[in-house]
Amino acid sequence: MSHLFLFFAFLTFHDTEAQSIKDHPEIYDAYHDVLKLKIESGRAKLNQVIPNHAQLGHYHYVKSLADVVEILISEDPKLFKKYEDSEEDNLDGLREMEESDPHYRYYNAEIRIQWAIVKIMFEEDMKAGMSLKTAYNYIEKNIEKHPDFVANYKAYGSLHVLFAVVPESYHWILKFFGIKGNSILGWDELNKIQPDSPYWLETGLIKALIAINILNKEKQTLTLLDELKKSHKDNLIVNYLYNTALVKYAKSEQALPNLRKLLFTSAEYHHIDNVYYKLGDIYMQKQQYPLARYHLSKFLNQYQGTNYIKDTWFKIFLSYWLEGNEKMAEIHWNKAKDSGRTFASADRNANSILEEDNYPNPLLMKARLATDGGYFGLANQALKNIQQGSLADKKDESEYFYRYGRLDDKTGKDQDAIFNYLNAIKKAGKENWYFAPSACLYTGYIYESRKDYKKAEFYYEKAMSYKKHPYKAGIDHKAHAALELIQDKLPKKKK
């Protein structure tokens, strides 16, 4: 991953003397295998290396990365337990490096960032927070000592984004140490890593995740992923992220054949169980419920993690409910209530519905799923079949306008979308259903696209004002990032 210390007798150390990972092809090849999800191939190549002094940093970084990627892809707590000593073992391996080597602190930071993300997944909040703080110290010191070592900004940018999006339970750590997160600053720092960097691909994958989950700019996200896909056609992570983005941007029909192909990748790749989950989503959107159940059940049978379990059982309930099979719907409603946890936003949303003890309105749900997938004809038909007077309560009325707003928004009817979003906000009142904050966010996006930055600012801030809804973290991150992007376009506030 970076440049390593090259010791020349008689010479004082300079950054330019550090060997890049590219100078050690056996390790560089292993690194790229890991990033392709050819994890065992990468490990096999590393096992052929007895690292000399110049290879120590690269070797231990890639060794750690292989363990972390396997854990993050599988989300398997047993793997987390299996590799629990990996972080310390690989950090120990860096101790023989010279502190004057720019890679010494760089790799110390990067390995800690890797494992902090794993700890966040498994809710080891205190350990993750301290790892991130230590990583921050290392990289700030490295920037001070080696300002021309551009790889620093991969770690620094990642940290600024992570500090901006960590769960609320980490905020005390940031306040205690006086650290501020800033996803846009982090994005700009990551952009300093250029195509000639050995970290270009890994940085691109990090940027893709930020673009999909925080920036929410469709054209920018798909352009970035398309560029990665063209230059890394055999990279399973790139292909998966590209098709995940297509689903996110209501292009499920385009993603469907691509995701199906990912089920048949060769055994040398680490399998991504979430492909079954994504395919289940698409078939739910298309109202092809038996196919949805098949893929959702395959996900449950193969996945070893704990996230998305509640949401998957809830979707299986929905598949029966929307088919009209009330007996099987009831069985799976109860199964969903008793299963899984609520760490992921999809599980929190499913749980919020399950806690109400009322089945959701089937036509509103069909409209939601179809709109999300880009099946706009199905969505429009479902909404047309709803008689407003038939809606049970204000929550359903708020959702009704919100669903029309999303459909109008995705089909380019901006003014109609604003009308329906504002009605959704009005109907919700002070309730913390997610329809209102989400409607505020999307209204802000429309006004931003019209260059009406003052109104955009108003709705972004309003989006963040709602409390305790299932998608609060995600909506707040997106609204905050959007606000940061338009700050220089707003009139200066009087002091």
Side-chain angles (χ1 to χ4, degrees), residues 280-281 283-285 287-297 311-326 328-330 332-333 360 362 365-366 369:
D281 273 352
Y283 287 118
M284 287 295 295
Q285 294 164 354
Q287 299 179 14
Q288 295 180 358
Y289 302 120
L291 277 171
R293 282 194 293 273
Y294 170 79
H295 288 91
L296 293 169
S297 297
D311 183 59
T312 301
W313 283 113
F314 176 70
K315 283 171 178 163
I316 294 174
F317 148 75
L318 280 178
S319 73
Y320 286 115
W321 173 239
L322 300 180
E323 260 183 348
N325 188 335
E326 293 188 20
M328 292 300 288
E330 182 181 3
H332 288 86
W333 172 270
M365 184 57 70
K366 284 182 177 181
L369 294 169

Side-chain angles (χ1 to χ4, degrees), residues 1-157:
M1 248 96 249
S2 294
H3 314 257
L4 219 141
F5 176 68
L6 176 60
F7 181 82
F8 285 112
F10 322 120
L11 293 178
T12 305
F13 183 87
H14 295 90
D15 290 356
T16 54
E17 292 169 358
Q19 287 183 345
S20 165
I21 193 172
K22 289 181 177 179
D23 296 321
H24 305 282
E26 63 276 42
I27 299 176
Y28 192 57
D29 288 348
Y31 171 49
H32 273 271
D33 276 356
V34 171
L35 293 179
K36 290 176 186 176
L37 287 191
K38 293 183 177 181
I39 298 174
E40 291 311 314
S41 172
R43 286 186 174 128
K45 288 174 181 175
L46 281 180
N47 288 339
Q48 300 298 312
V49 178
I50 300 174
N52 59 39
H53 196 77
Q55 294 172 324
L56 277 174
H58 306 309
Y59 175 85
H60 285 289
Y61 179 74
V62 178
K63 198 164 180 285
S64 173
L65 186 67
D67 296 343
V68 166
V69 168
E70 186 178 359
I71 294 169
L72 292 177
I73 292 296
S74 68
E75 302 186 25
D76 186 349
K78 293 191 292 293
L79 276 180
F80 182 37
K81 183 72 175 170
K82 177 182 176 181
Y83 297 135
E84 64 181 344
D85 295 328
S86 174
E87 179 183 11
E88 280 308 313
D89 288 347
N90 286 295
L91 288 173
D92 282 345
L94 303 182
R95 291 199 171 101
E96 292 181 38
M97 296 176 68
E98 301 292 335
E99 287 195 28
S100 55
D101 181 345
H103 300 88
Y104 171 72
R105 291 184 184 85
Y106 173 71
Y107 280 129
N108 265 285
E110 285 280 15
I111 289 173
R112 284 177 168 84
I113 293 168
Q114 291 174 1
W115 286 96
I117 293 168
V118 171
K119 291 166 192 171
I120 288 170
M121 175 180 283
F122 291 99
E123 298 184 88
E124 292 196 354
D125 295 0
M126 181 70 75
K127 290 180 180 178
M130 296 310 296
S131 292
L132 290 173
K133 167 60 178 139
T134 304
Y136 191 73
N137 288 347
Y138 269 108
I139 210 65
E140 281 210 314
K141 189 73 171 177
N142 216 39
I143 290 172
E144 177 190 328
K145 295 281 187 183
H146 307 286
D148 297 328
F149 186 65
V150 180
N152 284 324
Y153 292 96
K154 174 179 169 290
Y156 208 39

Side-chain angles (χ1 to χ4, degrees), residues 10 14 57 194 210 214 276-277 308 462 466 480:
F10 322 120
H14 295 90
Q194 293 298 303
I210 296 167
I214 301 173
Y276 285 112
Y277 178 77
Y308 310 111
K462 188 172 176 64
Y466 293 86
H480 192 266

